[in-house]
Amino acid sequence: MPQMAPIYWLFMFFFFIMSFMLFFMLNYFMKPYSKINFSSDSNKTLIYKSWKL
């Protein structure tokens, strides 16, 4: 039904906003980039994998 189209897009908009907020909240509180500490691992040799064949 064409009458249901605004309700559908409103639902999709709120779903997008909620998933966007959830992504940023998880990224803010978990901080996956701060778990890597290069200063304490200075004596260890880091192995970098290259994607080149």
Side-chain angles (χ1 to χ4, degrees):
M1 284 187 166
Q3 294 90 353
M4 296 298 288
I7 297 171
Y8 171 75
W9 289 115
L10 190 65
F11 170 75
M12 293 300 286
F13 175 71
F14 279 120
F15 177 74
F16 172 74
I17 294 294
M18 291 298 161
S19 60
F20 202 64
M21 286 174 53
L22 179 68
F23 170 74
F24 275 112
M25 287 171 64
L26 287 175
N27 200 14
Y28 178 76
F29 287 113
M30 295 184 78
K31 293 184 194 264
Y33 50 85
S34 66
K35 292 181 181 178
I36 302 172
N37 191 0
F38 289 110
S39 61
S40 66
D41 295 335
S42 61
N43 55 356
K44 298 178 183 176
T45 58
L46 297 175
I47 300 171
Y48 294 105
K49 293 185 177 178
S50 175
W51 290 99
K52 294 179 182 177
L53 295 177

